[in-house]
Amino acid sequence: MSISGFSLVIQKDQGITQALASWAKENKFELSGGKITAKEWMKTIEVLKNMRKGRGEDGLSVFERDVLKFSQSEQEEIMEAMGLKLSKNASNSATRETANDAGNENVYVYKPNKKATEEATYRPWQEFQKEYEEINKLPTDKEKVIEYHKMNADNAPENYVIVDKKSATLQVYSADGKLLKTFDAGLGAQKGDAYLKKDRKMTSAGIYTIKYKGSGHDDYAKYYKDNIYEMTTEKGETGVAIHQIPLALQGRYQKHYNGTTADNRYSNGCVNLTENDFNELEKYIKGKGAKVYVLPEEENNYMTVKDGKLCLAQKEFDGQVMTSTRATAYRPIKFNLPEDSNDTAKEFAQTLESKKEELMGKLGLTNDEYNMMAELAFGIAERETKFGESKKYKLKEAANWGVSLVKWAKGDDSTNSRGLTQMKLGNYTDKETLDLLKEYGIKENNLDDPEKSAIATMIVLRSMYKNELPGLKSKMQANGVSDSDALMYLWNGKRREIVKGTATPDKNLYIAHIRKYQETYELLQMA
């Protein structure tokens, strides 16, 4: 490897120094003293801080999939600080480069990390959640789209389009967030995001996919010399296309690149480009299958990441905007359990892992809803019975008839809590829940079986989530009670505390115990 500059791609759980250590190892550098000493690392950190400060970057904070590029002189400075020397066996392992796209060798496209795309890698599910939360905190919808694509670049490496109505521009970005091209865009004469309003002349906000280019597809395309991209949302909604200025309306050219975007609102809703710009756009996107984001301009509408999916949503739903559907994508999970976990805990966890895709479909849950409930189910089983090992549980199960007799003497005719998660199946009488329990052969007398218990717990948690939580939402929001916390209150028979507004999750001992146990294991999800 020659000293000609290099790039670092930050991987999972890496900081800059860990990434540098991996880079040095991969390229088989010789170490001046056989290893990188603490003193050399201190010097390297100082060098990096000065470099980043010179670029206007703050400190050494980086995020997974960030790309850090260093010039030849910077490489020399870093190698000197780390005590590295070139080896005859050194090799270059760059992961991002300029590639040929649509026949234009100067167009940049993201090159996926081979290891990330070929190997099934798992990361803590909560890491994904934190990343989504950080994206949703960003101040603009454009930033949210860009950061979402950067996060998923290895799985979706293609260039994409953002139409920003506020600036009257159409921009092309690479998957790793590079702005590749900006075009002046003609937009709907009427401001707004609606799709269904009568006589609208709006460029409807939405997340679109290009279905085809004109190319003689229909007679309509001839008005644009076939330079038209027809698009639909995931629901199949149409109404917005990207095309060159119509042949019969050449006067629109005067409204482009004239020093102002104030007169770019002139179309019936479609995005207009000059003929040259449309031809240039073709060089940057793949056409069919390319993503196009028409950003909203009304205050009520916004982009957000929900259940791992980028969506167009509304603060107050009015049904006029092309909002996104619920996320249905499934991602495999696995539990990283404590070493001392018993066989029951292992089988309980394995059931939640192997049955995820099936149960998501049958219970109508999104990926994140399932993961949240799976974490709860596992935590509840430990809290209630220590996965069948608690003495209280064994005694209660051995003398279940005695428990019923004592309750009867007190005038309590409720069913007994049974199984590894101590549920009362008799409390759930809605047809959907009963049908699911029957389908999986679940009865009160087999809830000590870890597979049956895991499935039954998910079914009951789902029943609470769908049937009870909606009526408690206002109380939950007023008192800062999350869905996860509310389900634990309900499982523990403390619904009244939510209703009365006295629920305090941070002080609840039942919740505290489950949260503490959750610190001993990780729920991992495939990246």
Side-chain angles (χ1 to χ4, degrees), residues 42-246:
M42 292 298 292
K43 185 177 179 181
T44 303
I45 290 170
E46 193 61 33
V47 166
L48 288 168
K49 284 182 178 179
N50 289 335
M51 285 180 183
R52 288 173 69 82
K53 185 177 181 181
R55 300 175 187 176
E57 298 169 340
D58 186 27
L60 297 180
S61 297
V62 291
F63 298 94
E64 185 176 354
R65 296 194 179 100
D66 277 355
V67 181
L68 310 181
K69 294 189 175 183
F70 299 95
S71 66
Q72 178 179 337
S73 61
E74 289 173 332
Q75 179 178 346
E76 291 173 346
E77 194 174 354
I78 289 171
M79 288 178 65
E80 181 182 356
M82 294 174 68
L84 303 180
K85 295 180 181 179
L86 287 178
S87 164
K88 292 181 180 179
N89 296 321
S91 63
N92 196 327
S93 58
T95 61
R96 300 184 184 210
E97 60 185 33
T98 299
N100 188 308
D101 180 41
N104 187 339
E105 63 182 13
N106 296 315
V107 173
Y108 175 91
V109 292
Y110 174 75
K111 184 177 179 182
N113 184 303
K114 260 192 171 183
K115 184 177 180 181
T117 55
E118 292 177 358
E119 296 180 9
T121 56
Y122 284 80
R123 296 168 47 207
W125 173 61
Q126 292 296 342
E127 280 189 10
F128 289 93
Q129 300 305 105
K130 290 175 183 177
E131 289 172 353
Y132 302 151
E133 288 171 8
E134 289 303 310
I135 290 174
N136 288 335
K137 289 177 185 177
L138 292 170
T140 68
D141 289 323
K142 182 182 291 186
E143 289 174 276
K144 293 175 186 177
V145 174
I146 293 168
E147 288 303 313
Y148 179 81
H149 271 272
K150 286 168 66 175
M151 178 180 170
N152 293 282
D154 286 323
N155 295 321
E158 297 86 5
N159 297 341
Y160 60 93
V161 170
I162 293 179
V163 177
D164 188 343
K165 293 188 284 182
K166 294 178 182 178
S167 63
T169 57
L170 181 152
Q171 296 181 312
V172 184
Y173 284 85
S174 64
D176 55 341
K178 291 180 182 292
L179 174 58
L180 303 179
K181 198 73 176 177
T182 299
F183 301 102
D184 226 12
L187 303 167
Q190 184 180 354
K191 289 188 176 181
D193 300 325
Y195 168 64
L196 297 174
K197 285 185 178 178
K198 187 178 180 181
D199 299 325
R200 66 168 186 86
K201 290 188 176 182
M202 298 179 187
T203 302
S204 304
I207 298 176
Y208 298 88
T209 301
I210 293 176
K211 291 301 180 184
Y212 50 79
K213 185 180 177 235
S215 300
H217 177 79
D218 54 38
D219 288 340
Y220 189 67
K222 68 186 180 183
Y223 299 111
Y224 314 101
K225 294 174 67 173
D226 282 343
N227 283 339
I228 177 171
Y229 283 130
E230 297 282 0
M231 311 184 298
T232 66
T233 69
E234 61 187 346
K235 299 177 185 177
E237 299 155 324
T238 59
V240 176
I242 299 173
H243 57 67
Q244 76 166 61
I245 292 171

Side-chain angles (χ1 to χ4, degrees), residues 399-527:
N400 187 59
W401 62 271
V403 175
S404 299
L405 184 62
V406 171
K407 289 172 67 176
W408 175 80
K410 293 180 178 180
D412 183 355
D413 60 356
S414 65
T415 57
N416 294 341
S417 301
R418 302 295 303 274
L420 300 176
T421 56
Q422 290 293 280
M423 66 183 74
K424 295 183 178 182
L425 289 185
N427 290 352
Y428 301 94
T429 57
D430 63 284
K431 185 177 185 304
E432 190 173 12
T433 299
L434 291 176
D435 286 347
L436 285 165
L437 293 171
K438 182 179 180 180
E439 179 178 348
Y440 284 99
I442 294 166
K443 302 175 182 178
E444 287 188 345
N445 63 5
N446 63 17
L447 288 174
D448 58 341
D449 176 86
E451 180 177 348
K452 298 288 188 187
S453 179
I455 294 172
T457 304
M458 292 297 292
I459 292 172
V460 171
L461 283 172
R462 180 263 183 200
S463 176
M464 293 175 171
Y465 186 75
K466 299 285 186 180
N467 300 326
E468 297 187 59
L469 256 59
L472 300 172
K473 279 292 183 182
S474 60
K475 293 288 187 180
M476 289 164 57
Q477 291 169 356
N479 292 281
V481 178
S482 68
D483 289 348
S484 176
D485 291 337
L487 288 173
M488 285 190 275
Y489 268 98
L490 294 178
W491 198 276
N492 196 30
K494 302 295 182 182
R495 185 179 192 277
R496 183 173 296 181
E497 292 187 27
I498 299 177
V499 173
K500 293 172 65 177
T502 58
T504 52
D506 290 340
K507 297 179 181 178
N508 184 284
L509 295 180
Y510 187 87
I511 293 176
H513 181 102
I514 291 176
R515 285 178 177 171
K516 187 70 176 175
Y517 179 65
Q518 287 175 338
E519 294 175 5
T520 69
Y521 69 89
E522 286 183 313
L523 177 62
L524 306 176
Q525 177 176 275
M526 185 181 288

